[in-house]
């Protein structure tokens, strides 16, 4: 972000008149952030060298594409405005994350190499042109990634995973269905204890609406507010009044109950209210 912002300021503010005040400050901030773009990832690689297999696995996941990934990209815009559009299940990375992963992996070496050439005045004009074109191409994926990670309410839940290493189980199941099934669902169905790194970062309640059949996560604060003010609990999706019979917070128990409900529904038997 420092590289991007300082370059934007240098182009818009100082390109027409390099003699304006404080240009050297932004120029050196850009150069130093470019050095960090090389040094800091190298330090992370050295620090996490024991996890190199996981890093290679992540690279493999990001560069391997399937037909579902292309469908996901094609339907992504429609799904953002209509809940009726169902996106194909994704693996560890969805298609948009793969695009961002690939663009960063390709662009960073280009930025470092061309930035060094510009700094050392080696084929500076050609290097600057490649540098600028790469920056323009990366900008949409970078800004989109930041928006989805920090602003979008459906996806920013996973941001805590950067710090804690854990994400909410239901969130992972909804957004990364294939990855979840491959790593966790078999253990839940067999009754085995799931020790893999999927852990709720905060206390949330899983709600199933019988009207619109949506599965949602709401916070304890939301539920307590509804109960303490004696107000009806309405489905956030369709507005139908919900009647809470029992609240389950244990994730393994919740998975088991949901599997039983799905089996009953598949078998076509009528369900009692207390099921």
């Amino acid at each position: 972000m420092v590289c991007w912002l300082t370059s934007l300021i240098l182009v818009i503010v100082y390109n027409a008149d390099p003699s304006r005040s404080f240009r050297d400050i932004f120029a050196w901030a850009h150069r130093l952030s470019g050095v960090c773009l090389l040094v800091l990832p190298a330090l992370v690689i050295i620090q996490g060298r024991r996890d190199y297999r996981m890093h290679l696995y992540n690279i493999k996941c990001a560069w391997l594409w399937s037909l579902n990934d292309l469908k996901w990209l094609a339907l992504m815009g429609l799904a953002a405005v209509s809940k009726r559009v169902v996106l194909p299940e994704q693996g560890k990375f969805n298609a948009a994350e793969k695009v961002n992963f690939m663009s960063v992996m390709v662009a960073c070496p280009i930025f470092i190499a061309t930035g060094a050439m510009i700094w050392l005045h080696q084929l500076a004009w050609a290097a600057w042109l490649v540098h600028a074109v790469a920056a323009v191409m990366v900008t949409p994926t970078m800004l989109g990634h930041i928006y989805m990670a920090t602003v979008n309410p459906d996806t920013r839940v996973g941001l805590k995973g950067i710090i804690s290493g854990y994400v909410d189980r239901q969130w992972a199941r909804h957004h990364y269905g294939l990855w979840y099934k491959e790593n966790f669902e078999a253990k839940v169905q067999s009754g085995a204890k799931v020790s893999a790194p999927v852990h709720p970062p905060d206390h949330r309640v899983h709600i199933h609406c019988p009207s619109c059949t949506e599965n949602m996560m709401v916070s304890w604060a939301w539920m307590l507010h509804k109960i303490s003010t004696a107000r009806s609990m309405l489905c956030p999706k369709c507005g139908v009044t919900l009647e809470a019979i029992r609240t389950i917070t244990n994730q393994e128990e919740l998975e088991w109950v949901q599997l039983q409900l799905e089996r009953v529904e598949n078998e076509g038997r009528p369900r009692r209210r207390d099921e």
Side-chain angles (χ1 to χ4, degrees):
M1 287 300 298
V2 175
C3 282
W4 187 80
L5 287 173
T6 52
S7 65
L8 196 65
I9 293 172
L10 288 170
V11 170
I12 295 176
V13 178
Y14 294 101
N15 202 38
D17 186 5
S19 63
R20 288 177 178 173
S21 303
F22 307 113
R23 183 187 183 279
D24 288 343
I25 294 176
F26 290 104
W28 276 104
H30 186 72
R31 295 187 186 107
L32 292 176
S33 62
V35 172
C36 290
L37 199 63
L38 171 64
V39 174
L40 296 183
L43 293 177
V44 171
I45 291 173
I46 294 172
Q47 186 181 18
R49 59 188 180 277
R50 295 181 180 177
D51 298 323
Y52 76 95
R53 293 182 184 275
M54 179 58 67
H55 297 312
L56 294 176
Y57 172 73
N58 288 338
I59 294 172
K60 178 182 177 181
C61 289
W63 283 86
L64 285 179
W65 283 65
S66 67
L67 185 59
N68 275 347
D69 293 321
L70 299 178
K71 289 180 179 178
W72 195 97
L73 277 181
L75 297 173
M76 178 178 63
L78 294 174
V81 297
S82 175
K83 296 295 182 181
R84 295 182 180 181
V85 178
V86 179
L87 294 173
E89 289 189 333
Q90 295 287 279
K92 188 172 185 179
F93 305 113
N94 62 44
E97 290 171 336
K98 287 184 177 183
V99 171
N100 183 70
F101 195 113
M102 294 167 68
S103 67
V104 171
M105 194 170 176
V106 171
C108 278
I110 293 176
F111 287 144
I112 293 169
T114 55
M117 292 171 66
I118 296 170
W119 197 351
L120 300 174
H121 303 286
Q122 300 295 322
L123 299 174
W125 169 246
W128 183 90
L129 186 61
V130 175
H131 202 77
V133 170
V136 171
M137 294 180 65
V138 168
T139 295
T141 58
M142 180 191 69
L143 295 180
H145 184 71
I146 292 173
Y147 169 80
M148 297 299 290
T150 60
V151 179
N152 187 283
D154 291 334
T155 53
R156 66 183 182 187
V157 178
L159 187 62
K160 294 180 180 179
I162 294 178
I163 300 172
S164 67
Y166 299 93
V167 295
D168 184 272
R169 183 183 302 278
Q170 297 303 324
W171 181 85
R173 184 178 185 179
H174 175 72
H175 289 279
Y176 306 96
L178 291 178
W179 174 76
Y180 180 87
K181 289 177 181 178
E182 291 174 0
N183 292 276
F184 309 108
E185 195 164 86
K187 296 181 180 180
V188 173
Q189 289 177 342
S190 64
K193 184 177 179 181
V194 179
S195 57
V198 174
H199 180 74
D202 54 9
H203 294 292
R204 301 179 74 82
V205 182
H206 185 268
I207 290 181
H208 174 78
C209 177
S211 177
C212 62
T213 67
E214 286 283 346
N215 294 316
M216 297 155 286
M217 288 187 298
V218 298
S219 64
W220 268 112
W222 182 84
M223 282 201 66
L224 291 175
H225 175 71
K226 296 294 183 182
I227 296 172
S228 61
T229 55
R231 294 180 181 176
S232 299
M233 290 172 43
L234 304 180
C235 173
K237 298 290 184 181
C238 64
V240 171
T241 301
L242 300 174
E243 296 182 3
I245 298 174
R246 184 187 177 198
T247 299
I248 301 174
T249 57
N250 182 278
Q251 293 295 322
E252 281 75 18
E253 183 180 359
L254 178 62
E255 294 282 354
W256 184 88
V257 170
Q258 188 166 5
L259 285 172
Q260 303 310 310
L261 291 175
E262 290 174 356
R263 288 174 183 172
V264 170
E265 189 172 6
N266 291 335
E267 292 172 1
R269 294 193 293 108
R271 291 186 293 182
R272 304 193 309 271
R273 283 180 61 84
D274 59 348
E275 286 186 316

